[in-house]
Amino acid sequence: MKKILLTGSAGLIGKILRSALKGQYELIRCMDVAEQEPGGQGEEIVQCDLRDVEKLRHAMRDIDTVIHLAGISVEDSWEKILPANIEGCYNTFDCAHQAGVRRMIFASSNHAVGFHRRERFIDTQVEPRPDGRYGVSKVFGEALGRLYADKYGMQVACLRIGSFRPDNKPADVRQLNTWISHNDMIRLTKACIDHAGFHFEVIYGVSKNLRNRWDNTLVKHLGYAPQDNAEEFRDEMFAKGIKEDPVSELFHGAMYCPMEFVGDVDKIQ
Ligand code: NAI
Ligand code: 15L
């Protein structure tokens, strides 16, 4: 029986994981800067900002595994990304290390590799290619994960999540590739919590979509077996029409790529 700290537990993914993991482990400590529903049996509620190192350290006591979801979850200004996703992510890894946490499951994003060309499949070893400040913060988090695994022996899994939606279905034609269902997100998280032992892993958080372009072959040993397929929403998504920006449609990161874009797409090969 494990004790788990779930950061970002008041958010979209956090709420789903909170209810799915409840009762399956000895303790789920739910931490967020936002207010939360009171804790039930096997749950503790902590209100804490990732910048509050003292409180964060306290939240790590007796924890085996941290699931780190908290932070800015979309492209935003540096003023917002810096404290939450850079400083806050560092604080989370370092407080976990100091408290003797064995395993970290870090919510990275497909936007860490968003400027790879969509015409190519990408695997878990492609070089970082962030498509914005948010993507840079996810590359930073993955780099921290590599450091804390190599230097401090922490087991780290970085989940490059695709598109997780409140209504549990894709929003557009692109998300027929990138969608992850709620149940597959739960499966992926549980695979990483329950695994006997790993060093440092990167895995795409995507369902078993017919149009998936992200290759998890190298991390089959993690035991993530997605069951859902966005193709069931195909007709509904195509009926909405394809209105993608010409820069967006070239790259895996899609809508984040044209933001502020003044580059030369021919040079992004
Ligand atoms: P969300 O925005 O719904 O939840 C994020 C939570 O973090 C919120 O409850 C917020 O209060 C909390 N938070 C923000 N700053 C904080 C701080 N300084 N201290 C403590 N808590 C703070 O995001 P969502 O969609 O649930 O995503 C969770 C994680 O997964 C994020 O790291 C996001 O980047 C990542 N992700 C999500 C994807 C999606 O499709 N939803 C896709 C790829 C990655
Ligand atoms: C993400 O990283 C974001 O958290 C989410 O809001 C979506 O934009 C998602 O990626 C996506 O690429 O669809």
Side-chain angles (χ1 to χ4, degrees):
M1 289 296 277
K2 297 193 171 94
K3 294 186 179 175
I4 292 172
L5 176 68
L6 178 64
T7 79
S9 47
L12 172 60
I13 299 178
K15 278 188 182 144
I16 299 292
L17 290 184
R18 177 179 167 185
S19 94
L21 301 181
K22 188 178 172 184
Q24 305 226 356
Y25 300 95
E26 188 179 340
L27 171 70
I28 312 290
R29 188 171 289 148
C30 302
M31 196 198 99
D32 204 293
V33 72
E35 276 194 30
Q36 302 184 68
E37 296 288 314
Q41 175 123 27
E43 290 184 322
E44 284 176 14
I45 304 298
V46 178
Q47 191 166 15
C48 172
D49 192 298
L50 296 171
R51 286 168 301 169
D52 186 340
V53 174
E54 279 313 305
K55 232 177 175 179
L56 189 54
R57 202 173 280 140
H58 191 65
M60 295 283 176
R61 72 198 183 284
D62 304 324
I63 292 296
D64 305 294
T65 298
V66 175
I67 304 168
H68 182 42
L69 306 176
I72 300 297
S73 58
V74 290
E75 179 62 332
D76 215 321
S77 65
W78 188 240
E79 288 67 32
K80 289 202 177 145
I81 297 280
L82 177 65
N85 292 20
I86 302 290
E87 189 187 342
C89 190
Y90 174 79
N91 292 344
T92 305
F93 271 95
D94 202 58
C95 290
H97 160 57
Q98 287 176 31
V101 169
R102 286 178 48 249
R103 189 170 294 182
M104 176 75 73
I105 301 168
F106 168 61
S108 181
S109 167
N110 71 91
H111 296 287
V113 290
F115 260 129
H116 284 282
R117 289 217 164 226
R118 209 187 291 181
E119 70 213 28
R120 287 184 215 115
F121 278 88
I122 51 174
D123 68 16
T124 48
Q125 290 186 344
V126 291
E127 65 179 331
R129 215 146 181 190
D131 54 29
R133 290 173 288 274
Y134 168 71
V136 166
S137 77
K138 295 303 186 183
V139 174
F140 176 76
E142 291 188 9
L144 278 177
R146 179 57 97 172
L147 175 71
Y148 279 79
D150 287 347
K151 185 161 282 206
Y152 303 116
M154 189 184 280
Q155 298 179 35
V156 180
C158 300
L159 318 183
R160 283 186 189 152
I161 303 166
S163 307
F164 182 101
R165 305 274 310 150
D167 55 2
N168 204 16
K169 62 187 210 184
D172 54 29
V173 169
R174 174 225 175 211
Q175 291 188 6
L176 294 173
N177 306 25
T178 62
W179 179 66
I180 182 165
S181 71
H182 292 188
N183 280 339
D184 282 338
M185 186 70 211
I186 294 163
R187 285 183 187 102
L188 173 59
T189 307
K190 282 180 61 63
C192 294
I193 298 171
D194 297 340
H195 197 275
F198 51 77
H199 180 62
F200 174 80
E201 308 284 355
V202 172
I203 182 166
Y204 291 101
V206 66
S207 278
K208 204 175 70 181
N209 304 331
L210 181 72
R211 294 161 203 260
N212 171 35
R213 310 286 292 167
W214 301 328
D215 179 3
N216 275 333
T217 310
L218 295 170
V219 281
K220 276 199 166 140
H221 56 274
L222 281 177
Y224 169 51
Q227 302 294 314
D228 298 320
N229 187 342
E231 209 56 17
E232 67 173 290
F233 304 103
R234 177 191 184 282
D235 292 348
E236 192 183 334
M237 293 307 124
F238 276 100
K240 291 183 174 190
I242 306 174
K243 306 183 261 319
E244 246 190 302
D245 174 284
V247 175
S248 173
E249 68 184 9
L250 292 175
F251 303 108
H252 285 275
M255 63 289 181
Y256 287 7
C257 298
M259 292 176 183
E260 304 167 34
F261 187 81
V262 289
D264 178 350
V265 289
D266 293 334
K267 294 193 169 140
I268 313 173
Q269 293 300 334

